[in-house]
Amino acid sequence: AYIATVTYYDRQIPGSPFKISCVPGPDASKCHVDGLHPNSLYITGNPIEFTVNSSEAGHGQLKVYIQGPHDYTPKVYLADDGKGVHSVKFDAMKPGRYFIVVAWSECHVPGSPFKIRVHPAADASKVIAKGPGLHNGMLGDTGEFIVDTKQAGIGTLLIRVHGLKDAFKIEANPIKSDD
């Protein structure tokens, strides 16, 4: 605390001396962002959540700005736990690159702006299966077919064949996208 004495013609004014309490100013470099990783898999339609810890950054205000693809700006939801940890959530409804600016009292926190890529949600209706192995066959013969998932988005391909136990063998060989 500081003491300030205010005088007028060598006489203290009413209320003087004043006790002044000072707190450290904001320091964005002491903020920590958790949960945003450039190599993580983000899918459209799923909320993206991360936290900003400002507990050691002094008194300040958190601001988060997000710019998505094609000038898409998602609504940002902020929650403060009262102890300096802020939860941030937004819905990435369009696939593409997102730039996330995290500022503490108008200054970038370490790592800001963050860049993430949001991928389209998987769409099974865009998977194409074709080939003679999907139709009639003979026991002992090879039945080959191709499953094309290029237009379906990111997902897991699962192939199950029902019939006599151990009567068949499945081999899956990914084909490069330029083939």
Side-chain angles (χ1 to χ4, degrees), residues 62-64 76-80 86-89:
L62 176 67
K63 289 189 179 178
V64 178
V76 178
Y77 301 92
L78 297 173
D80 184 355
H86 309 266
S87 297
V88 182
K89 179 178 174 180

Side-chain angles (χ1 to χ4, degrees), residues 17 37 50 61 78 86 100 124 127 129 132 145 161 173 179:
H37 306 285
F50 61 96
Q61 183 178 11
L78 297 173
H86 309 266
I100 303 166
V127 176
F145 59 93
V161 179
N173 299 306
D179 288 348

